[in-house]
Amino acid sequence: MSSKTDFDIIIIGGGASGLAAAAAFGRHSNGLRAAVIEKEEKPGRKLLATGNGRCNLTNTDMSELHYNEASRPLIKSVLQRIDPNRLISMFASLGLYCRTDSEGRVYPYSNRALAVLDTLTMWLKKTNVTVLTGTSARSIVKTESGYKVVCENETFRAKKLIISTGGTVQKNLGSDGSSYRFADELKLSCESIYPSLAPVIVKDKELSLIKGVRSAAAVTAYVNGAPVKTEYGELQFNEKNISGICIFQLSRIVNEAFIKGTQKNVCITADLTPDIPFDELRQFVQKKCAALSDMPAEMIFTGILNEKLGVYIYKKANVQFKGRTLGELSSSELDALCKKAKCCKFTPDKPSEYNAAQVTAGGISVSGIDRNMQSKQHSGLYIIGEALDVDGDCGGYNLHFAFASGIIAGTHAAKNEVKKHDKNKRA
Ligand SMILES: Cc1cc2nc3c(=O)[nH]c(=O)nc-3n(C[C@H](O)[C@H](O)[C@H](O)COP(=O)(O)OP(=O)(O)OC[C@H]3O[C@@H](n4cnc5c(N)ncnc54)[C@H](O)[C@@H]3O)c2cc1C
């Protein structure tokens, strides 16, 4: 075994899942040799960008229902083995103290993503794991004794291999779709990919009027005229898209429709006064128009909504406001304006951009993966994290799966290899 290029296990990708797998392997492997191959100059670049630099690493409100439907059986089994409490206590045992906010989102106590990365890399320094940075894996070849990983200047060999190269969003942070190339080489089946947790690009010429405005809203995705998901939160209006966590949570539905070619059947509606029922809003506006009858009509929602939204709602409701006063608005016009404030409709224009998304939906099919994250096709090959067809809601669900699947794979691979090693020694 060449000490520089031969290992018991190679982990391709030093992101959240790969570092967790390496730490778990290092912990259980009795000094067996592991290498993490990472293409960027430093591991965990994306991890540092998560949760706006705070790293929302899991959520105490956990269940497989927060993930894509097709992969829920595998996700359920992962969550049964590593639930949020287990993950938090595992991190505590490595030296990371966490805090939970009122919505169940878990962050490092310091509110710094760097604390999570430092905890993992410090732990790796205590184990027999080598981290090779600035090294991009180009291709994987299955051999009689394991796997060969071909990089630009060197070829590495290992008995076992973990693919943790992520998805393909925000390529500047590392993951560039290599996972799907490896899947092709190894003939692993893949589900179509598309961006999720992203702003939704919409057809709306008037959007530029309210660029930069934020409003509390209840947003609902409709498919074939039926509501399928509602989210509450801060809706952000941009020149060509609508955004905010509430929209991120609906973006999967929209982008999946683009992949299927059924985007015409999908729309998003926004209730801009989610805490005010229609009748109450209507009465309030009516009283206001009577009391301030000589004020300009465009002031109708001033005092309730951001003033720019008033003009936008007039345009969307197709009601004239220029040169008119509040007192001149008819009852049917007030109805139309209040209805619009309660239900602004947005039609998707294009799929979301990968470089604005947080996660890739689709990927290597979980039907070919066993409960230890090992490929059913290729013994000794594990696939973890976002490379798989697993994507979750905003709120710590994607990192939870990345860490949990990494820990399961790293632990299983180590225990299995130690067993073989001990058997060979006895023989
Ligand atoms: C801006 C942003 C914020 C986010 N915030 C959160 C959050 O707060 N909570 C949450 O749960 N999720 C969050 N996510 C999602 C979460 O970060 C990912 O789902 C998670 O990092 C996936 O982990 P992974 O290990 O599978 O992939 P990654 O973290 O993407 O790691 C893959 C690694 O593999 C390396 N790599 C890729 N190809 C190769 C190759 N050929 N050779 C060698 N190395 C390679 C990459 O450089 C990278 O380091 C966020 C995502 C983004 C983009």
Side-chain angles (χ1 to χ4, degrees):
M1 205 188 236
S2 146
S3 59
K4 272 183 76 191
T5 54
D6 287 9
F7 296 91
D8 292 296
I9 192 164
I10 288 176
I11 297 153
I12 314 180
S17 62
L19 293 175
F25 187 88
R27 207 171 198 180
H28 294 99
S29 66
N30 275 348
L32 292 179
R33 299 185 64 240
V36 175
I37 293 181
E38 167 56 50
K39 72 191 257 293
E40 298 294 309
E41 290 308 321
K42 284 187 177 169
R45 278 194 66 199
K46 187 181 284 172
L47 198 51
L48 293 180
T50 59
N52 282 327
R54 294 170 63 209
C55 186
N56 176 195
L57 56 104
T58 181
N59 198 305
T60 53
D61 169 24
M62 183 59 71
S63 95
E64 70 278 13
L65 299 178
H66 287 285
Y67 295 86
N68 57 312
E69 206 173 336
S71 302
R72 284 182 190 159
L74 178 76
I75 295 161
K76 190 173 177 184
S77 121
V78 166
L79 297 179
Q80 275 164 353
R81 293 163 79 181
I82 302 192
D83 66 7
N85 287 334
R86 182 96 199 277
L87 186 67
I88 293 166
S89 65
M90 280 175 144
F91 268 119
S93 73
L94 301 182
L96 183 81
Y97 199 91
C98 292
R99 64 165 90 213
T100 306
D101 75 7
S102 57
E103 289 178 51
R105 292 179 293 228
V106 179
Y107 296 91
Y109 193 76
S110 62
N111 264 335
R112 283 167 61 76
L114 183 61
V116 182
L117 181 58
D118 279 349
T119 300
L120 288 166
T121 49
M122 265 191 315
W123 179 260
L124 290 184
K125 285 191 184 130
K126 275 177 59 70
T127 64
N128 205 5
V129 178
T130 308
V131 181
L132 301 161
T133 54
T135 310
S136 180
R138 296 282 162 93
S139 126
I140 297 173
V141 183
K142 199 175 173 190
T143 63
E144 268 184 23
S145 56
Y147 296 89
K148 206 162 79 175
V149 179
V150 183
C151 300
E152 198 174 33
N153 297 319
E154 233 163 344
T155 294
F156 299 90
R157 284 177 185 76
K159 293 175 204 147
K160 288 187 162 40
L161 183 69
I162 298 184
I163 296 179
S164 50
T165 36
T168 188
V169 300
Q170 307 214 10
K171 288 186 179 161
N172 60 320
L173 297 175
S175 42
D176 60 0
S178 295
S179 301
Y180 318 121
R181 205 178 63 235
F182 299 147
D184 238 27
E185 288 181 335
L186 294 165
K187 304 206 169 5
L188 303 171
S189 89
C190 251
E191 306 301 325
S192 305
I193 57 161
Y194 47 94
S196 183
L197 304 186
V200 170
I201 302 173
V202 292
K203 274 186 208 138
D204 189 341
K205 328 192 267 308
E206 321 295 357
L207 214 51
S208 57
L209 291 172
I210 48 171
K211 185 173 111 183
V213 170
R214 292 163 183 243
S215 173
V219 289
T220 302
Y222 282 78
V223 177
N224 293 323
V228 291
K229 192 170 183 182
T230 296
E231 292 285 328
Y232 296 83
E234 188 180 62
L235 171 59
Q236 297 170 22
F237 299 96
N238 301 311
E239 179 106 35
K240 298 219 161 84
N241 65 55
I242 48 175
S243 184
I245 290 173
C246 55
I247 293 296
F248 281 17
Q249 306 280 41
L250 303 183
S251 60
R252 185 183 207 284
I253 295 165
V254 172
N255 294 320
E256 185 184 30
F258 274 103
I259 283 284
K260 291 181 174 164
T262 57
Q263 66 273 18
K264 287 208 173 97
N265 306 336
V266 177
C267 76
I268 289 179
T269 63
D271 176 351
L272 301 175
T273 62
D275 312 311
I276 313 174
F278 176 82
D279 290 345
E280 193 180 324
L281 180 69
R282 179 68 180 77
Q283 273 175 30
F284 187 88
V285 162
Q286 178 136 3
K287 279 190 194 151
K288 180 174 174 176
C289 289
L292 299 166
S293 59
D294 53 347
M295 288 291 127
E298 61 197 77
M299 306 297 278
I300 187 161
F301 290 115
T302 307
I304 308 172
L305 297 173
N306 180 304
E307 62 286 355
K308 288 187 181 162
L309 283 170
V311 172
Y312 176 76
I313 290 168
Y314 271 105
K315 297 235 175 191
K316 292 278 266 192
N318 215 5
V319 174
Q320 291 305 314
F321 63 94
K322 283 214 170 116
R324 298 179 75 193
T325 62
L326 288 175
E328 289 170 24
L329 294 169
S330 70
S331 174
S332 64
E333 285 173 327
L334 291 185
D335 273 350
L337 290 166
C338 291
K339 275 188 191 148
K340 208 40 89 180
K342 295 293 291 170
C343 183
C344 261
K345 185 175 164 190
F346 299 96
T347 310
D349 188 20
K350 293 180 197 157
S352 304
E353 289 169 2
Y354 278 104
N355 67 7
Q358 289 198 350
V359 72
T360 312
I364 300 173
S365 172
V366 303
S367 61
I369 303 295
D370 72 11
R371 62 189 293 275
N372 296 311
M373 314 309 298
Q374 192 169 192
S375 163
K376 293 178 187 166
Q377 238 169 295
H378 303 294
S379 156
L381 173 71
Y382 298 78
I383 300 146
I384 56 177
E386 206 179 308
L388 287 170
D389 173 26
V390 172
D391 64 286
D393 286 341
C394 230
Y397 299 100
N398 290 297
L399 280 176
H400 183 97
F401 182 77
F403 290 133
S405 60
I407 293 165
I408 289 173
T411 307
H412 185 266
K415 289 188 174 167
N416 189 276
E417 211 41 47
V418 167
K419 221 191 263 173
K420 273 196 203 157
H421 207 255
D422 291 349
K423 208 169 148 192
N424 287 347
K425 255 190 180 165
R426 280 199 303 272

